[in-house]
Amino acid sequence: MLVRLKRFAKRLLAIGWIRKSYEAINRVTLETLGWTPSLVHVFYFFSFLTFGREQTAVFRGRRNYYRNKQRGRVTHVELRRNVHRLEKGILMRPRRESFALDYIEETTEFFEVAVAQVRRDPEHTDSDEVYWARDVLREYFAAVGEQSPVIQRCRARFDALAFDSEAGARHPYPHAQLPELTVGYDDMLTLAQRRRSVRWFDGRPVEREVLDKALLVARQAPTACNRLPYEYRIFDDAEMVAKVAGLPFGAAGYAHNIPTIAVVVGKLDSYFSPRDRHAVYVDASLSAMSFLLALETLGVSTSVINWPDFEPLENKMQKLLGLDTTERVVMLIAIGYADSTGMVAYSQKKQLSTLRSFNALA
Protein backbone atom coordinates (compact mmCIF):
# COMPACT_ATOMS: atom_id res chain seq x y z
CA MET A 1 0.00 0.00 0.00
CA LEU A 2 2.83 2.39 0.87
CA VAL A 3 4.47 1.73 -2.49
CA ARG A 4 1.22 2.54 -4.29
CA LEU A 5 0.85 5.79 -2.37
CA LYS A 6 4.39 6.80 -3.31
CA ARG A 7 3.73 6.05 -6.97
CA PHE A 8 0.51 8.07 -6.84
CA ALA A 9 2.36 10.98 -5.21
CA LYS A 10 5.00 10.88 -7.95
CA ARG A 11 2.29 11.00 -10.61
CA LEU A 12 0.73 14.04 -8.97
CA LEU A 13 4.13 15.75 -8.85
CA ALA A 14 4.70 14.88 -12.51
CA ILE A 15 1.31 16.30 -13.44
CA GLY A 16 2.09 19.48 -11.49
CA TRP A 17 5.45 19.81 -13.22
CA ILE A 18 3.85 19.37 -16.64
CA ARG A 19 1.19 21.97 -15.83
CA LYS A 20 3.75 24.50 -14.60
CA SER A 21 5.97 23.91 -17.64
CA TYR A 22 3.01 24.38 -19.97
CA GLU A 23 2.02 27.61 -18.24
CA ALA A 24 5.59 28.93 -18.45
CA ILE A 25 5.88 28.18 -22.17
CA ASN A 26 2.43 29.59 -22.77
CA ARG A 27 3.26 32.86 -20.99
CA VAL A 28 6.52 33.30 -22.89
CA THR A 29 4.75 32.68 -26.19
CA LEU A 30 1.91 35.07 -25.40
CA GLU A 31 4.18 37.81 -24.09
CA THR A 32 6.54 37.51 -27.08
CA LEU A 33 3.96 37.37 -29.85
CA GLY A 34 1.46 39.66 -28.17
CA TRP A 35 3.49 42.80 -28.78
CA THR A 36 2.06 43.59 -32.20
CA PRO A 37 -0.93 42.48 -34.32
CA SER A 38 1.51 41.31 -37.01
CA LEU A 39 3.07 38.71 -34.73
CA VAL A 40 -0.38 37.57 -33.63
CA HIS A 41 -1.34 37.09 -37.28
CA VAL A 42 1.80 35.04 -37.82
CA PHE A 43 0.91 32.83 -34.86
CA TYR A 44 -2.61 32.15 -36.12
CA PHE A 45 -1.36 31.63 -39.66
CA PHE A 46 0.40 28.53 -38.36
CA SER A 47 -2.41 27.75 -35.89
CA PHE A 48 -5.23 28.21 -38.39
CA LEU A 49 -7.25 25.28 -37.03
CA THR A 50 -7.89 27.18 -33.78
CA PHE A 51 -10.72 29.12 -35.37
CA GLY A 52 -11.11 26.92 -38.42
CA ARG A 53 -14.67 25.81 -37.75
CA GLU A 54 -15.85 29.35 -37.04
CA GLN A 55 -14.20 30.71 -40.17
CA THR A 56 -15.84 28.02 -42.27
CA ALA A 57 -19.21 28.63 -40.61
CA VAL A 58 -19.06 32.38 -41.24
CA PHE A 59 -18.00 31.95 -44.87
CA ARG A 60 -20.62 29.32 -45.67
CA GLY A 61 -23.21 31.32 -43.78
CA ARG A 62 -22.63 34.22 -46.16
CA ARG A 63 -22.79 31.83 -49.11
CA ASN A 64 -26.06 30.30 -47.89
CA TYR A 65 -27.57 33.72 -47.24
CA TYR A 66 -27.53 34.36 -50.99
CA ARG A 67 -28.41 30.77 -51.88
CA ASN A 68 -31.47 30.88 -49.65
CA LYS A 69 -32.97 33.76 -51.59
CA GLN A 70 -33.72 31.27 -54.34
CA ARG A 71 -35.23 28.66 -52.02
CA GLY A 72 -38.60 28.23 -50.38
CA ARG A 73 -38.26 28.74 -46.63
CA VAL A 74 -40.40 28.97 -43.54
CA THR A 75 -38.93 32.37 -42.67
CA HIS A 76 -37.24 34.96 -44.88
CA VAL A 77 -34.42 36.63 -42.98
CA GLU A 78 -33.64 39.17 -45.71
CA LEU A 79 -37.26 40.33 -45.66
CA ARG A 80 -37.22 40.57 -41.87
CA ARG A 81 -34.09 42.71 -41.94
CA ASN A 82 -35.35 45.17 -44.53
CA VAL A 83 -38.84 45.49 -43.07
CA HIS A 84 -37.33 46.33 -39.69
CA ARG A 85 -35.18 48.95 -41.39
CA LEU A 86 -38.39 50.45 -42.79
CA GLU A 87 -39.89 50.45 -39.31
CA LYS A 88 -36.94 52.43 -37.97
CA GLY A 89 -37.34 54.93 -40.80
CA ILE A 90 -41.07 55.31 -40.09
CA LEU A 91 -40.55 56.00 -36.38
CA MET A 92 -37.61 58.40 -36.86
CA ARG A 93 -37.96 61.97 -35.54
CA PRO A 94 -38.00 64.03 -37.62
CA ARG A 95 -39.07 61.63 -40.32
CA ARG A 96 -37.54 62.25 -43.73
CA GLU A 97 -39.94 62.87 -46.60
CA SER A 98 -38.33 60.07 -48.58
CA PHE A 99 -36.19 57.28 -47.21
CA ALA A 100 -35.18 53.70 -48.01
CA LEU A 101 -34.77 54.57 -51.69
CA ASP A 102 -31.66 52.40 -51.83
CA TYR A 103 -33.42 49.25 -50.67
CA ILE A 104 -37.19 49.61 -51.13
CA GLU A 105 -37.10 47.89 -54.51
CA GLU A 106 -35.18 44.98 -53.06
CA THR A 107 -37.63 44.82 -50.15
CA THR A 108 -40.59 44.75 -52.52
CA GLU A 109 -38.99 41.84 -54.38
CA PHE A 110 -38.46 39.99 -51.11
CA PHE A 111 -42.10 40.57 -50.23
CA GLU A 112 -43.30 39.26 -53.58
CA VAL A 113 -41.33 36.04 -53.04
CA ALA A 114 -42.75 35.62 -49.52
CA VAL A 115 -46.33 36.24 -50.66
CA ALA A 116 -45.96 33.70 -53.45
CA GLN A 117 -44.71 31.13 -50.96
CA VAL A 118 -47.40 31.72 -48.35
CA ARG A 119 -50.02 31.32 -51.07
CA ARG A 120 -48.35 28.20 -52.42
CA ASP A 121 -47.47 26.51 -49.11
CA PRO A 122 -49.10 28.24 -46.13
CA GLU A 123 -48.42 25.34 -43.75
CA HIS A 124 -44.66 25.71 -44.18
CA THR A 125 -44.43 29.51 -44.18
CA ASP A 126 -44.38 31.96 -41.29
CA SER A 127 -47.50 33.83 -42.39
CA ASP A 128 -47.30 36.27 -39.46
CA GLU A 129 -43.97 37.46 -40.83
CA VAL A 130 -45.55 38.16 -44.22
CA TYR A 131 -48.54 40.00 -42.72
CA TRP A 132 -46.17 42.13 -40.68
CA ALA A 133 -44.18 42.98 -43.82
CA ARG A 134 -47.40 43.87 -45.63
CA ASP A 135 -48.57 46.25 -42.91
CA VAL A 136 -45.19 47.97 -42.59
CA LEU A 137 -44.92 48.39 -46.37
CA ARG A 138 -48.43 49.82 -46.46
CA GLU A 139 -47.48 52.31 -43.72
CA TYR A 140 -44.26 53.15 -45.54
CA PHE A 141 -45.98 53.95 -48.84
CA ALA A 142 -48.51 56.10 -46.97
CA ALA A 143 -45.67 58.00 -45.27
CA VAL A 144 -43.41 58.76 -48.24
CA GLY A 145 -46.01 59.85 -50.79
CA GLU A 146 -45.22 59.87 -54.52
CA GLN A 147 -41.95 61.82 -54.69
CA SER A 148 -39.80 59.20 -56.37
CA PRO A 149 -40.22 57.05 -59.50
CA VAL A 150 -38.72 54.16 -57.50
CA ILE A 151 -41.41 54.53 -54.83
CA GLN A 152 -44.13 54.78 -57.47
CA ARG A 153 -42.89 51.65 -59.17
CA CYS A 154 -42.67 49.69 -55.92
CA ARG A 155 -46.07 50.89 -54.75
CA ALA A 156 -47.62 49.63 -57.99
CA ARG A 157 -46.00 46.20 -57.52
CA PHE A 158 -47.16 46.11 -53.90
CA ASP A 159 -50.75 46.99 -54.79
CA ALA A 160 -50.80 44.44 -57.61
CA LEU A 161 -50.23 41.63 -55.09
CA ALA A 162 -53.60 42.37 -53.42
CA PHE A 163 -52.43 40.56 -50.31
CA ASP A 164 -55.27 41.55 -47.99
CA SER A 165 -56.34 38.17 -46.65
CA GLU A 166 -56.02 39.28 -43.04
CA ALA A 167 -56.59 42.67 -41.47
CA GLY A 168 -54.03 44.02 -39.04
CA ALA A 169 -51.93 46.90 -37.84
CA ARG A 170 -48.49 45.37 -37.39
CA HIS A 171 -46.52 48.55 -37.83
CA PRO A 172 -44.85 51.15 -35.56
CA TYR A 173 -47.17 52.66 -32.97
CA PRO A 174 -46.94 55.22 -30.11
CA HIS A 175 -45.21 54.16 -26.91
CA ALA A 176 -48.38 55.07 -24.98
CA GLN A 177 -50.12 52.07 -26.56
CA LEU A 178 -47.78 49.55 -24.92
CA PRO A 179 -49.45 47.20 -22.40
CA GLU A 180 -49.58 48.50 -18.84
CA LEU A 181 -46.64 47.33 -16.76
CA THR A 182 -47.75 45.33 -13.73
CA VAL A 183 -44.32 44.06 -12.64
CA GLY A 184 -42.31 46.33 -10.35
CA TYR A 185 -38.56 46.57 -9.82
CA ASP A 186 -38.72 44.66 -6.54
CA ASP A 187 -40.52 41.83 -8.32
CA MET A 188 -37.88 41.75 -11.02
CA LEU A 189 -35.02 41.80 -8.51
CA THR A 190 -36.62 38.97 -6.53
CA LEU A 191 -37.02 36.92 -9.71
CA ALA A 192 -33.38 37.47 -10.67
CA GLN A 193 -32.18 36.56 -7.18
CA ARG A 194 -34.41 33.52 -6.99
CA ARG A 195 -33.30 32.12 -10.32
CA ARG A 196 -30.34 29.89 -9.50
CA SER A 197 -28.58 27.20 -11.51
CA VAL A 198 -30.21 23.94 -10.49
CA ARG A 199 -28.50 20.63 -11.17
CA TRP A 200 -30.75 18.27 -9.24
CA PHE A 201 -34.24 17.63 -10.54
CA ASP A 202 -37.09 15.53 -9.17
CA GLY A 203 -37.62 13.59 -12.39
CA ARG A 204 -41.02 14.95 -13.37
CA PRO A 205 -41.30 15.64 -17.11
CA VAL A 206 -41.60 19.28 -18.14
CA GLU A 207 -44.79 19.82 -20.09
CA ARG A 208 -44.24 21.06 -23.65
CA GLU A 209 -46.96 23.66 -23.13
CA VAL A 210 -44.86 25.13 -20.32
CA LEU A 211 -41.78 25.27 -22.56
CA ASP A 212 -43.76 27.00 -25.30
CA LYS A 213 -45.10 29.59 -22.86
CA ALA A 214 -41.52 30.40 -21.84
CA LEU A 215 -40.46 30.60 -25.50
CA LEU A 216 -43.17 33.19 -26.15
CA VAL A 217 -41.25 35.38 -23.71
CA ALA A 218 -37.86 34.38 -25.12
CA ARG A 219 -38.71 35.41 -28.66
CA GLN A 220 -39.50 38.95 -27.46
CA ALA A 221 -35.82 39.55 -26.70
CA PRO A 222 -34.26 42.14 -29.02
CA THR A 223 -32.19 40.97 -31.99
CA ALA A 224 -30.25 42.86 -34.64
CA CYS A 225 -32.77 43.97 -37.30
CA ASN A 226 -35.34 41.58 -35.82
CA ARG A 227 -33.70 38.58 -37.49
CA LEU A 228 -34.10 36.12 -34.57
CA PRO A 229 -31.04 34.21 -35.85
CA TYR A 230 -31.38 31.23 -33.54
CA GLU A 231 -33.49 28.22 -32.72
CA TYR A 232 -34.08 26.02 -29.69
CA ARG A 233 -33.47 22.30 -30.21
CA ILE A 234 -35.35 20.78 -27.27
CA PHE A 235 -35.07 17.14 -26.21
CA ASP A 236 -37.36 15.48 -23.66
CA ASP A 237 -36.96 11.84 -24.68
CA ALA A 238 -34.80 10.19 -22.01
CA GLU A 239 -32.52 8.42 -24.46
CA MET A 240 -31.98 11.55 -26.56
CA VAL A 241 -31.42 13.69 -23.47
CA ALA A 242 -28.73 11.29 -22.31
CA LYS A 243 -26.92 11.51 -25.65
CA VAL A 244 -27.01 15.32 -25.79
CA ALA A 245 -26.30 15.95 -22.11
CA GLY A 246 -23.40 13.54 -22.19
CA LEU A 247 -21.38 15.70 -24.60
CA PRO A 248 -20.52 18.97 -22.79
CA PHE A 249 -17.91 19.00 -20.03
CA GLY A 250 -20.10 21.29 -17.93
CA ALA A 251 -22.74 18.61 -17.32
CA ALA A 252 -20.33 16.07 -15.89
CA GLY A 253 -21.64 14.53 -12.69
CA TYR A 254 -25.31 15.41 -13.15
CA ALA A 255 -26.11 14.78 -16.83
CA HIS A 256 -27.98 11.61 -15.83
CA ASN A 257 -30.36 13.71 -13.71
CA ILE A 258 -31.52 16.07 -16.51
CA PRO A 259 -35.12 15.44 -17.70
CA THR A 260 -35.15 17.99 -20.54
CA ILE A 261 -32.34 19.73 -22.35
CA ALA A 262 -32.29 22.54 -24.91
CA VAL A 263 -29.52 23.26 -27.36
CA VAL A 264 -29.54 26.92 -28.41
CA VAL A 265 -28.25 27.13 -31.98
CA GLY A 266 -27.17 30.31 -33.77
CA LYS A 267 -27.73 30.50 -37.53
CA LEU A 268 -24.97 32.26 -39.43
CA ASP A 269 -26.84 32.04 -42.73
CA SER A 270 -28.83 35.02 -41.45
CA TYR A 271 -25.98 37.38 -42.44
CA PHE A 272 -24.29 38.47 -45.65
CA SER A 273 -21.28 40.09 -43.96
CA PRO A 274 -18.64 38.76 -41.51
CA ARG A 275 -19.03 41.96 -39.50
CA ASP A 276 -22.18 40.40 -37.98
CA ARG A 277 -20.57 37.06 -37.10
CA HIS A 278 -20.96 37.62 -33.35
CA ALA A 279 -24.62 38.60 -33.51
CA VAL A 280 -25.83 35.00 -33.20
CA TYR A 281 -24.16 34.72 -29.79
CA VAL A 282 -25.46 38.08 -28.55
CA ASP A 283 -29.01 37.64 -29.81
CA ALA A 284 -29.34 34.01 -28.75
CA SER A 285 -28.02 34.84 -25.26
CA LEU A 286 -30.52 37.67 -24.81
CA SER A 287 -33.29 35.28 -25.76
CA ALA A 288 -31.97 32.53 -23.51
CA MET A 289 -31.94 34.77 -20.44
CA SER A 290 -35.58 35.67 -21.02
CA PHE A 291 -36.30 31.96 -21.44
CA LEU A 292 -34.66 31.15 -18.10
CA LEU A 293 -36.56 33.83 -16.22
CA ALA A 294 -39.87 32.88 -17.83
CA LEU A 295 -39.37 29.24 -16.85
CA GLU A 296 -38.61 30.34 -13.29
CA THR A 297 -41.99 32.09 -13.08
CA LEU A 298 -43.59 28.84 -14.22
CA GLY A 299 -41.94 26.85 -11.45
CA VAL A 300 -39.34 25.26 -13.70
CA SER A 301 -35.63 25.42 -12.88
CA THR A 302 -32.65 25.56 -15.22
CA SER A 303 -28.91 25.39 -15.50
CA VAL A 304 -26.90 26.90 -18.34
CA ILE A 305 -24.27 24.49 -19.64
CA ASN A 306 -21.23 26.09 -21.24
CA TRP A 307 -20.38 24.96 -24.75
CA PRO A 308 -16.66 25.43 -25.52
CA ASP A 309 -15.38 25.94 -29.04
CA PHE A 310 -13.59 22.60 -28.96
CA GLU A 311 -13.37 20.77 -32.26
CA PRO A 312 -13.90 17.16 -31.04
CA LEU A 313 -17.11 18.17 -29.21
CA GLU A 314 -18.26 20.43 -32.05
CA ASN A 315 -17.90 17.56 -34.48
CA LYS A 316 -19.83 15.15 -32.25
CA MET A 317 -22.67 17.61 -31.69
CA GLN A 318 -22.87 18.43 -35.40
CA LYS A 319 -23.29 14.76 -36.25
CA LEU A 320 -25.70 14.04 -33.40
CA LEU A 321 -28.04 16.95 -34.20
CA GLY A 322 -27.49 16.96 -37.96
CA LEU A 323 -26.34 20.59 -37.81
CA ASP A 324 -25.30 22.44 -40.91
CA THR A 325 -21.79 23.90 -40.94
CA THR A 326 -23.36 27.36 -40.63
CA GLU A 327 -25.15 26.47 -37.38
CA ARG A 328 -23.23 27.23 -34.18
CA VAL A 329 -24.09 25.85 -30.76
CA VAL A 330 -24.28 28.81 -28.36
CA MET A 331 -25.14 27.01 -25.12
CA LEU A 332 -27.11 24.14 -23.64
CA ILE A 333 -29.81 24.53 -21.00
CA ALA A 334 -30.77 21.82 -18.52
CA ILE A 335 -34.47 22.11 -17.68
CA GLY A 336 -36.60 20.46 -15.01
CA TYR A 337 -38.54 20.70 -11.77
CA ALA A 338 -36.08 21.19 -8.92
CA ASP A 339 -35.50 18.56 -6.26
CA SER A 340 -36.27 20.56 -3.12
CA THR A 341 -33.55 18.73 -1.20
CA GLY A 342 -30.89 19.47 -3.82
CA MET A 343 -28.40 22.22 -3.05
CA VAL A 344 -27.61 25.28 -5.17
CA ALA A 345 -24.45 27.38 -5.24
CA TYR A 346 -24.35 30.72 -3.43
CA SER A 347 -22.47 32.31 -6.36
CA GLN A 348 -21.47 35.67 -4.92
CA LYS A 349 -21.73 38.33 -7.61
CA LYS A 350 -19.26 41.15 -8.20
CA GLN A 351 -19.78 44.50 -6.52
CA LEU A 352 -21.27 47.13 -8.81
CA SER A 353 -18.12 49.22 -8.57
CA THR A 354 -16.12 46.44 -10.24
CA LEU A 355 -18.38 46.09 -13.27
CA ARG A 356 -19.86 49.57 -13.72
CA SER A 357 -18.40 52.97 -14.54
CA PHE A 358 -19.80 56.33 -15.65
CA ASN A 359 -18.38 58.55 -18.39
CA ALA A 360 -15.06 56.70 -18.42
CA LEU A 361 -12.81 57.53 -21.35
CA ALA A 362 -9.28 56.49 -22.17
Side-chain angles (χ1 to χ4, degrees), residues 18-74:
I18 292 172
R19 177 179 57 80
K20 290 179 180 179
S21 299
Y22 171 79
E23 288 183 358
I25 295 172
N26 212 25
R27 287 188 62 182
V28 171
T29 302
L30 295 173
E31 291 290 346
T32 303
L33 300 181
W35 281 102
T36 67
S38 299
L39 290 175
V40 173
H41 294 324
V42 170
F43 174 80
Y44 281 115
F45 177 80
F46 291 102
S47 304
F48 61 92
L49 292 179
T50 304
F51 301 113
R53 178 175 286 268
E54 185 175 37
Q55 290 172 344
T56 302
V58 171
F59 189 91
R60 290 190 181 176
R62 295 172 62 197
R63 180 197 67 180
N64 289 356
Y65 175 89
Y66 291 104
R67 279 186 175 182
N68 287 339
K69 290 184 178 182
Q70 313 303 321
R71 299 171 177 167
R73 290 156 290 146
V74 173

Side-chain angles (χ1 to χ4, degrees), residues 224-353:
C225 282
N226 200 34
R227 285 181 174 95
L228 281 75
Y230 55 78
E231 62 179 22
Y232 287 77
R233 302 281 190 97
I234 299 177
F235 299 90
D236 54 11
D237 174 84
E239 185 176 344
M240 294 183 180
V241 171
K243 290 180 179 179
V244 175
L247 286 181
F249 302 138
Y254 76 100
H256 63 281
N257 185 239
I258 299 173
T260 301
I261 194 164
V263 183
V264 184
V265 178
K267 306 176 78 64
L268 283 166
D269 61 0
S270 300
Y271 307 95
F272 58 84
S273 171
R275 70 190 180 200
D276 294 318
R277 65 188 181 277
H278 296 147
V280 293
Y281 308 108
V282 175
D283 294 348
S285 297
L286 289 169
S287 172
M289 191 67 244
S290 296
F291 182 56
L292 301 183
L293 293 175
L295 285 172
E296 191 70 28
T297 68
L298 296 167
V300 179
S301 297
T302 55
S303 176
V304 175
I305 304 171
N306 178 50
W307 183 253
D309 192 345
F310 183 55
E311 181 57 28
L313 291 187
E314 292 273 13
N315 190 46
K316 288 180 181 179
M317 185 67 84
Q318 182 180 15
K319 290 180 179 179
L320 181 61
L321 270 58
L323 297 176
D324 187 80
T325 307
T326 64
E327 296 178 307
R328 298 284 289 167
V329 175
V330 179
M331 70 182 77
L332 285 76
I333 304 173
I335 305 168
Y337 291 99
D339 180 346
S340 61
T341 64
M343 300 182 71
V344 297
Y346 187 86
S347 295
Q348 176 64 48
K349 306 307 178 185
K350 292 182 178 180
Q351 293 183 347
L352 284 182
S353 59

Side-chain angles (χ1 to χ4, degrees), residues 189-243:
L189 181 60
T190 299
L191 175 60
Q193 291 173 334
R194 174 186 165 80
R195 193 266 138 203
R196 314 302 295 172
S197 292
V198 169
R199 294 173 175 83
W200 304 111
F201 305 100
D202 66 11
R204 284 181 292 160
V206 180
E207 301 84 351
R208 292 184 176 183
E209 295 79 8
V210 171
L211 296 170
D212 282 347
K213 288 179 71 173
L215 287 171
L216 288 176
V217 177
R219 72 173 182 176
Q220 291 299 121
T223 63
C225 282
N226 200 34
R227 285 181 174 95
L228 281 75
Y230 55 78
E231 62 179 22
Y232 287 77
R233 302 281 190 97
I234 299 177
F235 299 90
D236 54 11
D237 174 84
E239 185 176 344
M240 294 183 180
V241 171
K243 290 180 179 179

Side-chain angles (χ1 to χ4, degrees), residues 88-252:
K88 290 187 286 187
I90 291 170
L91 59 83
M92 194 59 64
R93 300 173 68 178
R95 180 195 293 166
R96 291 156 54 190
E97 290 187 9
S98 293
F99 59 93
L101 298 181
D102 56 335
Y103 64 89
I104 185 57
E105 197 152 24
E106 178 186 62
T107 307
T108 305
E109 292 172 1
F110 294 158
F111 181 65
E112 289 172 336
V113 171
V115 169
Q117 182 172 325
V118 78
R119 285 172 169 166
R120 181 177 63 252
D121 190 9
E123 292 186 4
H124 298 94
T125 307
D126 188 341
S127 56
D128 287 343
E129 174 181 278
V130 187
Y131 293 133
W132 165 58
R134 177 202 62 188
D135 291 349
V136 172
L137 279 164
R138 185 180 291 154
E139 188 79 359
Y140 167 79
F141 288 126
V144 295
E146 300 283 353
Q147 297 99 336
S148 165
V150 174
I151 294 176
Q152 293 178 20
R153 187 164 59 249
C154 292
R155 182 197 302 274
R157 292 171 64 176
F158 175 77
D159 291 340
L161 290 171
F163 188 63
D164 297 315
S165 56
E166 180 180 302
R170 309 182 191 199
H171 53 71
Y173 56 92
H175 185 275
Q177 293 181 14
L178 286 169
E180 182 181 355
L181 186 63
T182 58
V183 178
Y185 170 78
D186 290 339
D187 299 319
M188 188 66 200
L189 181 60
T190 299
L191 175 60
Q193 291 173 334
R194 174 186 165 80
R195 193 266 138 203
R196 314 302 295 172
S197 292
V198 169
R199 294 173 175 83
W200 304 111
F201 305 100
D202 66 11
R204 284 181 292 160
V206 180
E207 301 84 351
R208 292 184 176 183
E209 295 79 8
V210 171
L211 296 170
D212 282 347
K213 288 179 71 173
L215 287 171
L216 288 176
V217 177
R219 72 173 182 176
Q220 291 299 121
T223 63
C225 282
N226 200 34
R227 285 181 174 95
L228 281 75
Y230 55 78
E231 62 179 22
Y232 287 77
R233 302 281 190 97
I234 299 177
F235 299 90
D236 54 11
D237 174 84
E239 185 176 344
M240 294 183 180
V241 171
K243 290 180 179 179
V244 175
L247 286 181
F249 302 138

